[in-house]
Amino acid sequence: MHLELIGIKKTFVDEKQGKETSAIAHIDLQIEGGQFISIVGPSGCGKSTLLRIISGLEKSFEGEVLLEGQKILKPEHEVGLVFQQYALFPWRTMCKNIEVGLEIMGMSKIERRTIAEEYIRLFGMNGFEDLYPSQLSGGMQQRVAIARTLIMNPKVVLMDEPFGSLDSQTRNDMQEFLMDLWQKRNVTIIFVTHNVDESVFLSDRIVVLSKRPARVLRIFEFDSPRPRDRTSKVANDIRREIIGILRQERIEPSSIGN
Ligand SMILES: Nc1ncnc2c1ncn2[C@@H]1O[C@H](COP(=O)(O)OP(=O)(O)OP(=O)(O)O)[C@@H](O)[C@H]1O
Ligand SMILES: [Mg+2]
């Protein structure tokens, strides 16, 4: 698997108001298969826009996204998405939420149930399969959202602040759960987060973006073994350096609204 972002640039145009918002100035990025990459950057700098571009949801932008040399032009099964808001169907049980992609593909009921049950076991959610999303904890809802994406066997999973709404203990548990899952499967993860600690705990590479319009300020390569000690010297050093860069990128009051 090889994912290339070449000369990505995005400007939002509001024709009614004659207003343009430059969200991404210029991004080039090469991503190798199986990597765990985090993207951190100031609020509003263009991170979600970048993920939408990679996912094929965003139609108008400059540059190219190539997955194994092929342009991504629309949402594909190879590229999965997990958002902060779990976006589960409230009227479907856990099991039926997990099966939804396979159902849309036209897989038979028995086949998709068998596969969904494997995921429920793998995700440690046995016994909850007939409950509805409102009956599940936040951490479990997010696990359902991840299972629903992974069941489609994507090569790349894009995650946009997936643990942003969880309390800190559940968030730590979910980070460990995700790390374990990623180590078991040959999947590439591109993970957007505001939380520098989370990016240091999880990633092989951390891409630090500038304030809007986004460009790459620094890329940190981090190859210490997992599971990582969040308080090791190397983790602390990288964390301190990233926080320093982000502090310098704080939006000056005079530039708001430009
Ligand atoms: N559909 C849209 N129309 C106009 N402007 C948009 C649209 N979507 C995003 N923007 C603008 O583009 C910029 C980047 O937004 P984006 O959501 O990508 O930032 P972000 O880095 O994900 O922010 P956050 O950290 O708060 O999630 C912002 O200024 C936002 O207001
Ligand atoms: Mg965002």
Side-chain angles (χ1 to χ4, degrees), residues 92-95 113 120 125 127-132 135:
R92 295 179 73 118
T93 61
M94 170 193 284
C95 193
R113 180 56 51 102
I120 288 168
M125 303 191 295
F128 295 88
E129 48 272 65
D130 296 326
L131 297 183
Y132 291 87
Q135 298 172 300

Side-chain angles (χ1 to χ4, degrees), residues 89-103:
F89 298 114
W91 60 88
R92 295 179 73 118
T93 61
M94 170 193 284
C95 193
K96 289 204 157 161
N97 264 288
I98 293 175
E99 286 175 25
V100 73
L102 302 177
E103 186 177 331

Side-chain angles (χ1 to χ4, degrees), residues 31-67:
I31 297 163
E32 296 304 328
Q35 280 197 332
F36 198 117
I37 298 205
S38 285
I39 297 180
V40 300
S43 187
C45 78
K47 302 179 294 296
S48 297
T49 303
L50 184 64
L51 284 197
R52 285 176 52 82
I53 288 173
I54 301 172
S55 73
L57 282 169
E58 191 66 58
K59 299 293 174 220
S60 74
F61 63 93
E62 286 175 45
E64 287 186 334
V65 181
L66 301 178
L67 180 62

Side-chain angles (χ1 to χ4, degrees), residues 12 21-23 41-50 160-161 194 212:
F12 288 102
T21 307
S22 177
S43 187
C45 78
K47 302 179 294 296
S48 297
T49 303
L50 184 64
D160 196 353
E161 310 241 16
H194 272 109
R212 184 176 71 78

